[in-house]
Amino acid sequence: MPQLGYGVYQVTKDECERCVRDALKIGYRLIDTTQSYFNEEEVGNAIAKSGIPRDEIFLTTKVWIEHYGYERAKVSVLESMRKLQVDYLDLCLLHQPFADAYGAYRALEELYDEGKIRAIGISNFYTDRMVDFASFNRIKPMVNQVEIHPHNQQTEAKAWHDKYGIQMEAWAPFGEGRGDMFHTPELQVIAEKYGKSVAQVILRWHLQRGIVIIPKSTHLERMEENFHVFDFSLSEDDMAVIATIDKKQSSFFSHTDPNMVEWFVKMVEERKQQHDCTKDKKNW
């Protein structure tokens, strides 16, 4: 699994194929999408037209909540593969820790056994749920994709993931710039020291912590900037400075907030009726 990839969260259907093709031309080989982004077909088109051998691309998608439960999850994964135009997935995750996640995970285990998925895992599972899943499923999750960035560094969670041998992956490596991230004085000083951008310093910080990252941009120059982070290293002092800006809380929302859980439930019910929530602006 490449440690640096390209994510397509909130990349529109109109732009997605072009963006993924640009990312692949730059050199990205990990592409991350999900059923809930409604752009799997465009990702598949880009990969098919790229001319890059399938075994050189690490492709990830995720099962959305309304497809949880054993039977629905299995059908949805096969449908995702059809849209992506592939006969196997490199990684498939459960997108959220709600509903019949255990039933859905059994479907992933079975597809893994059949060779249709080469690695399986979870997303947005807090540490207690991660330990639960690692302990009470036949196949331990291999990846957990969660919110990680300099304002929410997940230090304790990473120690637990390391203990269980589960790779952490950041779905918001920049925290979407919230909290004025890109103007954080400590990060600006370090960026000036190396002649790099704050974004590049943040990505390098992730890499040196052993976190897989999937930064998203629709702009070619930003994609290139985000990819060029292997020609410098942060010192131990730099890493220690960045550790001081950890706010130790989400910049988005808490999955343990019952109001947030109700919001997910409402969204799933609406999607069952409408079969479309592309206009929904909430983050997930």
Side-chain angles (χ1 to χ4, degrees), residues 122-125 130 143-146 161 166-169:
I122 51 183
S123 177
N124 293 303
F125 279 59
M130 178 277 290
V143 174
N144 189 10
Q145 188 180 113
V146 295
H161 283 73
I166 297 173
Q167 175 64 52
M168 293 189 82
E169 181 176 17

Side-chain angles (χ1 to χ4, degrees), residues 18-183:
R18 187 269 302 171
C19 287
V20 174
R21 292 184 71 177
D22 284 346
L24 291 170
K25 287 177 183 177
I26 290 168
Y28 291 89
R29 289 298 180 267
L30 164 59
I31 305 297
D32 179 277
T33 185
T34 179
Q35 295 169 354
S36 71
Y37 296 170
F38 297 100
N39 56 22
E40 288 177 313
E41 289 178 310
E42 288 70 28
V43 170
N45 289 338
I47 291 173
K49 294 176 183 178
S50 70
I52 299 170
R54 171 68 185 93
D55 61 4
E56 294 182 15
I57 296 175
F58 191 99
L59 181 59
T60 301
T61 195
K62 313 175 196 72
V63 180
W64 187 239
I65 311 167
E66 66 192 54
H67 300 142
Y68 278 15
Y70 169 77
E71 292 182 358
R72 295 194 67 178
K74 191 167 188 180
V75 169
S76 78
V77 172
L78 295 175
E79 176 64 9
S80 289
M81 290 170 59
R82 183 193 68 78
K83 291 178 178 178
L84 290 162
Q85 303 175 49
V86 296
D87 56 10
Y88 71 91
L89 296 168
D90 296 281
L91 175 64
C92 189
L93 309 175
L94 299 186
H95 204 154
Q96 302 288 349
F98 304 127
D100 185 10
Y102 272 99
Y105 197 74
R106 285 199 303 274
L108 297 191
E109 289 178 324
E110 189 170 295
L111 291 166
Y112 174 82
D113 290 338
E114 295 171 1
K116 291 184 172 63
I117 305 174
R118 298 191 172 180
I120 58 178
I122 51 183
S123 177
N124 293 303
F125 279 59
Y126 287 9
T127 306
D128 59 331
R129 294 301 311 279
M130 178 277 290
V131 173
D132 177 22
F133 246 61
S135 302
F136 293 104
N137 280 297
R138 180 169 60 86
I139 300 174
K140 182 175 62 178
M142 300 162 192
V143 174
N144 189 10
Q145 188 180 113
V146 295
E147 176 193 349
I148 312 173
H149 49 77
H151 289 167
N152 189 23
Q153 299 184 16
Q154 302 270 27
T155 303
E156 182 178 353
K158 186 176 185 304
W160 278 100
H161 283 73
D162 290 346
K163 177 180 179 179
Y164 280 82
I166 297 173
Q167 175 64 52
M168 293 189 82
E169 181 176 17
W171 55 250
F174 301 129
E176 294 187 359
R178 297 186 182 201
D180 210 20
M181 175 82 73
F182 295 114
H183 297 97

Side-chain angles (χ1 to χ4, degrees), residues 3 158 162 167-169 205-212:
Q3 197 178 351
K158 186 176 185 304
D162 290 346
Q167 175 64 52
M168 293 189 82
E169 181 176 17
W205 169 79
H206 280 290
L207 293 175
Q208 290 183 208
R209 296 184 74 216
I211 306 295
V212 174

